[in-house]
Each structure stands twice: as C-alpha cells, then as structure tokens.
Amino acid sequence: MKITQKNKILNHLRKFNGITSLEAIKMYRITRLAARIYNLREDGHIINTEKVFQDDGSHYANYHLIKEAE
C-alpha cells in the first residue's frame, strides 16, 4: 500500500504535533501543505493554524493537530 501525502502529514502531526511548509518540503517533498491540510480537515480532523511572525514582518503557518476524525 502506497502512503499518500495526506497520510504522511497526518502521521507527522500525530508524532510531532506540528508541521510547517518548510518541514513538509524538506522531510517529505510535499510542496502544497495547505492543500493537504485542507483535505485532512475535509476528512474531519481538527487542525489549528498558528501564524508565526518573524522580526522582518514575514510570517508562516504552523499546523497543529487538535483532534483526529472519528
């Protein structure tokens, strides 16, 4: 059975309780993390988006698994 991008992200969230786009690219070569998070939310998982702001004014999203779908 092939592990999908969605499953890779869900497993990562279970293990580390957070993921950023940069981590997804470096660890799994997943470039559309927000789309995979959207798919997981459609499946019923509750995932929080934390906006992290940098000193230079830029920001990125850090996603956290709150509750898995039943």
Side-chain angles (χ1 to χ4, degrees), residues 48-62:
N48 183 49
T49 304
E50 172 193 11
K51 280 191 179 179
V52 180
F53 292 90
Q54 307 270 25
D55 290 336
D56 65 0
S58 64
H59 66 277
Y60 61 91
N62 191 4

Side-chain angles (χ1 to χ4, degrees), residues 9-10 13-16 19 21 23 25 32-33 40 46 48 53 59-60 62-63 65-67 69:
I9 298 302
L10 182 57
L13 288 170
R14 286 175 178 147
K15 187 172 181 179
F16 301 106
I19 192 164
S21 257
E23 290 172 329
I25 291 168
R32 297 189 63 228
L33 178 60
L40 288 167
I46 300 173
N48 183 49
F53 292 90
H59 66 277
Y60 61 91
N62 191 4
Y63 299 98
L65 180 63
I66 304 301
K67 185 178 179 192

Side-chain angles (χ1 to χ4, degrees), residues 19-36:
I19 192 164
T20 66
S21 257
L22 188 58
E23 290 172 329
I25 291 168
K26 285 183 176 181
M27 297 176 78
Y28 308 109
R29 299 182 65 132
I30 296 173
T31 58
R32 297 189 63 228
L33 178 60
R36 300 297 74 82

